[in-house]
Amino acid sequence: MSIGTRIDEAGTLLAEGEGVLLRRDAGGRYRLDLRRVSAPPHGARVRVTGVLVEADLVDVDAVTAERSAA
């Protein structure tokens, strides 16, 4: 994907040092810039929307917790 691409991905939040990663359901990982939003705790299933600003970094617009199927 190229810089400036809109991202809408589901996955799991992971801690990495002081940062946060999204382990994508589609495979791979994105680093997340969460300065403008709050996020659920690490390990949560989420949907992330934002803009790709580096090869693996997303400037996040929103993080929404996904409900588990029950």
Side-chain angles (χ1 to χ4, degrees):
M1 290 194 182
S2 60
I3 304 304
T5 301
R6 294 281 315 155
I7 300 297
D8 184 349
E9 294 270 354
T12 304
L13 291 181
L14 303 173
E16 180 183 75
E18 293 184 25
V20 178
L21 298 176
L22 176 69
R23 183 176 59 211
R24 301 167 53 210
D25 287 350
R29 296 177 181 200
Y30 282 132
R31 294 180 298 132
L32 303 179
D33 180 345
L34 296 168
R35 287 181 280 186
R36 296 183 292 130
V37 299
S38 59
H42 300 130
R45 295 268 316 138
V46 297
R47 177 160 297 278
V48 172
T49 57
V51 176
L52 196 63
V53 293
E54 291 181 16
D56 68 341
L57 177 63
V58 176
D59 181 16
V60 177
D61 293 327
V63 178
T64 307
E66 291 199 329
R67 295 186 178 140
S68 59

